[in-house]
Amino acid sequence: MHFTAVKRATRFYNIDGALVETAMSEKTLSIEMAKLKQARYSVGIAMGEEKYAGILGALNGHYINCLVTNRETAESLLK
C-alpha cells in the first residue's frame, strides 16, 4: 500500500477544479497536482460555508478522494 502525505498543498484552483496560476505558483514548493491525483488516498479536511467552494473545487479537480467534514457541510455538498 502506498500513501502520499501532504501537509498542505498550496496550489490554487477554481470551483471546477482547474488550476489557477498566481504570482505564488512559481515560488511554491509542494507535491505536483498531477501526482496528488494519482495518490491512492488523498484526504481533504475542511468544514464550513466559507470552505464550500474550495471543497467543491478539490472534488471536481479530483485532488481529494476522501473528505473529513461535518454533517452540515456534507449535506450542503450533496444538494
Side-chain angles (χ1 to χ4, degrees):
M1 190 178 307
H2 298 317
F3 293 94
T4 301
V6 177
K7 180 180 176 189
R8 185 176 127 189
T10 313
R11 301 283 185 194
F12 297 96
Y13 48 84
N14 64 21
I15 197 166
D16 297 318
L19 286 175
V20 175
E21 294 295 321
T22 68
M24 292 299 297
S25 297
E26 198 173 296
K27 301 173 186 176
T28 300
L29 296 174
S30 72
I31 188 170
E32 294 175 23
M33 297 305 273
K35 288 189 185 226
L36 188 61
K37 287 181 176 186
Q38 296 171 356
R40 185 169 184 179
Y41 299 103
S42 180
V43 181
I45 303 170
M47 63 180 229
E49 187 177 322
E50 69 279 359
K51 300 292 184 180
Y52 179 83
I55 295 169
L56 201 54
L59 291 168
N60 288 334
H62 304 283
Y63 302 122
I64 62 173
N65 55 28
C66 301
L67 176 63
V68 178
T69 192
N70 63 358
R71 172 177 266 173
E72 293 81 17
T73 304
E75 288 174 347
S76 292
L77 290 166
L78 291 172
K79 291 181 182 176

